[in-house]
Amino acid sequence: MSSPKWINALFPFVPWLKGYNRTKFRRDFGAGLTVAVVLIPQAMAYAMLAGLPPVYGLYAAVVAPLIAAMWGACSSFPQDLSPS
């Protein structure tokens, strides 16, 4: 059973879920953990440097990777920004 076209257009990651398995999950979890270990303290430090409470850095550390994970591999967004 396939998803309606508008769902695939709005959420390009939906068709990938068919091929997602335990091995891919383990690798993705390890990569996500690595990013979190680096990103969370860094985002909190940047918020403090900007004179904001560290919690704003936590918000940035959570929201940006979620958006990138869901829409980052969408073919309508350029992945390579280097000059041709």
Side-chain angles (χ1 to χ4, degrees):
M1 187 167 169
S2 65
S3 305
K5 288 185 179 185
W6 68 271
I7 290 180
N8 290 341
L10 188 59
F11 303 108
F13 56 89
V14 169
W16 304 338
L17 295 177
K18 281 185 180 179
Y20 205 69
N21 56 31
R22 184 174 287 185
T23 302
K24 289 181 182 179
F25 176 78
R26 276 199 328 247
R27 291 178 182 168
D28 286 344
F29 184 78
L33 188 62
T34 303
V35 169
V37 165
V38 173
L39 181 64
I40 290 174
Q42 179 185 19
M44 291 174 67
Y46 276 126
M48 291 171 61
L49 283 173
L52 299 170
V55 72
Y56 287 112
L58 290 176
Y59 295 149
V62 171
V63 173
L66 284 177
I67 292 171
M70 288 190 239
W71 283 276
C74 181
S75 61
S76 63
F77 295 121
Q79 299 295 317
D80 183 15
L81 299 177
S82 62
S84 305

